[in-house]
Amino acid sequence: MNPKPDELHLNAWRLFITAHATLIDTIDRELIAADCIPLHWYDVLVELVEAPAHRLRLYELADKVVLSRSGLTRLVDKLENAGLLKREPNPEDRRGYYAVLTEAGYAALRKAWPIYAAGIQNSFAVHLSDDEAEVFSRVLRKILKSRQTEE
Amino acid sequence: MNPKPDELHLNAWRLFITAHATLIDTIDRELIAADCIPLHWYDVLVELVEAPAHRLRLYELADKVVLSRSGLTRLVDKLENAGLLKREPNPEDRRGYYAVLTEAGYAALRKAWPIYAAGIQNSFAVHLSDDEAEVFSRVLRKILKSRQTEE
DNA sequence: CATCAATAGTTGTATATGCAACTATATTTG
DNA sequence: CAAATATAGTTGCATATACAACTATTGATG
């Protein structure tokens, strides 16, 4: 296996980094400007919405949002303080907790979604045809899958 | 213009965020483990290598690496302290400075490159065919260009 | 089953980075 | 050309997040 990327792939990598930084920056600002929760909070809460019974173990959440355990602890502190989720002890395993979405958390998601959706659409999605979006997704899914199996 | 992304595009967006986080995390760890400069330092120095006379105004650098002015000031402090670049006053405009790559900075880049290249290759590039890399790059370039003209 | 190892989560501490306010210099404008 | 405005960069402060050490609990092993 060749240890070095060619120009084409290297260029793709560098664009990936730069585009990510500017997109996150832009969309996060749009959310803040509209008096909504920041992007990282959204990402956490949306994982809860999609989870069975709107709850996830903290370590699962940390994994899904790619955050360290300690980072997650503090983020959950803030979200709990803001009333958007609550910790619930787990009777099955008394070491751990569930993070459970609250009604206010769900409301925060609903409020933010139109802004977030518009940001994704205008800054990102409009630039991808359906075919391009499929290539894009397929590639990133492959990358993520390979990481899972390695570690 | 439809204000909401469809499922396909939304999925691409979420993969984009997650894949970015895990890739940066992995590659940065590889660099640190190999006793090289961290990824963000690399990104700064590589912009200098590619700039005319290996120098850029600080604000240009901030722009290229998508960092706030104050963030850049501090990053440049660290890099200058480590001897990897130096600030040079600009005779044309005495408000500002150039960041100029030093020999040690160039050496740090050379040392890190094999590790970084292997990381890009193994974690990212192997998953993109040439065609996919072209689609990927084209899309991200389009995104970046649109942001430039808007702001 | 008693000990040892592994796991879930938290906390102390260090680093990173943004915003707003500030200094110094340059540019514009009446 | 003097005053007002804009720009380059830095600094004080607040927030974010990682690592390592810690507590509590669970699981594995002789």
Side-chain angles (χ1 to χ4, degrees):
Chain A
M1 166 165 44
N2 191 326
K4 311 231 165 153
D6 57 31
E7 268 306 310
L8 175 62
H9 287 81
L10 181 58
N11 197 247
W13 171 254
R14 292 181 64 179
L15 286 164
F16 183 61
I17 292 181
T18 311
H20 178 272
T22 63
L23 284 173
I24 295 297
D25 191 66
T26 302
I27 293 179
D28 199 38
R29 279 171 203 281
E30 288 170 358
L31 284 167
I32 302 299
D35 194 34
C36 292
I37 55 176
L39 194 43
H40 288 124
W41 290 26
Y42 192 97
D43 290 340
V44 168
L45 296 182
V46 86
E47 294 295 342
L48 293 181
V49 162
E50 292 173 357
H54 288 185
R55 72 188 51 214
L56 283 173
R57 287 296 297 271
L58 296 194
Y59 72 89
E60 296 174 303
L61 205 44
D63 199 53
K64 286 195 190 277
V65 300
V66 194
L67 204 61
S68 71
R69 288 288 177 85
S70 62
L72 189 82
T73 291
R74 266 126 182 174
L75 186 44
V76 166
D77 285 347
K78 277 164 224 140
L79 289 164
E80 192 170 27
N81 250 298
L84 307 183
L85 58 75
K86 57 184 200 297
R87 283 179 173 90
E88 276 189 11
N90 180 357
E92 315 274 303
D93 179 347
R94 290 182 317 172
R95 289 171 301 183
Y97 296 89
Y98 284 107
V100 187
L101 191 68
T102 63
E103 191 44 53
Y106 192 50
L109 280 174
R110 279 198 311 270
K111 176 174 178 188
W113 172 240
I115 312 296
Y116 192 20
I120 296 171
Q121 179 65 22
N122 298 330
S123 296
F124 176 79
V126 291
H127 303 292
L128 284 80
S129 69
D130 284 5
D131 282 355
E132 288 169 338
E134 255 164 46
V135 170
F136 206 82
S137 298
R138 171 157 40 86
V139 162
L140 295 177
R141 209 160 16 236
K142 225 189 311 175
I143 289 171
L144 281 172
K145 182 159 287 179
S146 83
R147 301 235 52 74
Q148 275 170 18
T149 55
E150 269 171 45
E151 275 146 40
Chain B
M1 168 165 46
N2 192 326
K4 311 230 165 153
D6 57 31
E7 269 306 311
L8 175 63
H9 287 81
L10 181 57
N11 197 247
W13 170 252
R14 292 181 64 179
L15 286 165
F16 183 61
I17 292 180
T18 310
H20 178 271
T22 64
L23 283 173
I24 296 296
D25 192 65
T26 302
I27 293 180
D28 199 37
R29 279 171 204 280
E30 289 170 358
L31 284 167
I32 302 297
D35 194 35
C36 291
I37 55 177
L39 193 44
H40 287 124
W41 290 27
Y42 192 97
D43 290 341
V44 169
L45 296 181
V46 86
E47 294 294 343
L48 293 181
V49 162
E50 292 174 357
H54 289 186
R55 74 188 50 216
L56 284 173
R57 287 297 296 272
L58 297 194
Y59 72 90
E60 295 174 303
L61 205 44
D63 199 53
K64 286 196 191 277
V65 300
V66 192
L67 205 62
S68 70
R69 288 287 176 87
S70 61
L72 189 83
T73 291
R74 267 125 180 173
L75 187 45
V76 166
D77 285 347
K78 277 165 225 140
L79 289 164
E80 192 169 28
N81 251 297
L84 306 183
L85 59 73
K86 56 185 201 296
R87 283 180 173 89
E88 274 189 11
N90 180 356
E92 314 276 302
D93 180 346
R94 290 182 318 171
R95 288 171 303 182
Y97 297 89
Y98 283 107
V100 187
L101 192 67
T102 62
E103 192 44 52
Y106 193 50
L109 281 174
R110 279 198 311 269
K111 176 174 180 190
W113 173 239
I115 313 296
Y116 191 21
I120 297 170
Q121 180 65 21
N122 299 329
S123 296
F124 176 79
V126 290
H127 303 292
L128 285 80
S129 70
D130 284 5
D131 281 356
E132 288 168 340
E134 253 164 50
V135 170
F136 206 82
S137 298
R138 171 158 39 87
V139 162
L140 295 176
R141 208 158 19 232
K142 225 189 309 176
I143 289 170
L144 281 172
K145 182 159 289 180
S146 84
R147 300 234 52 73
Q148 275 170 18
T149 53
E150 266 170 45
E151 273 146 40

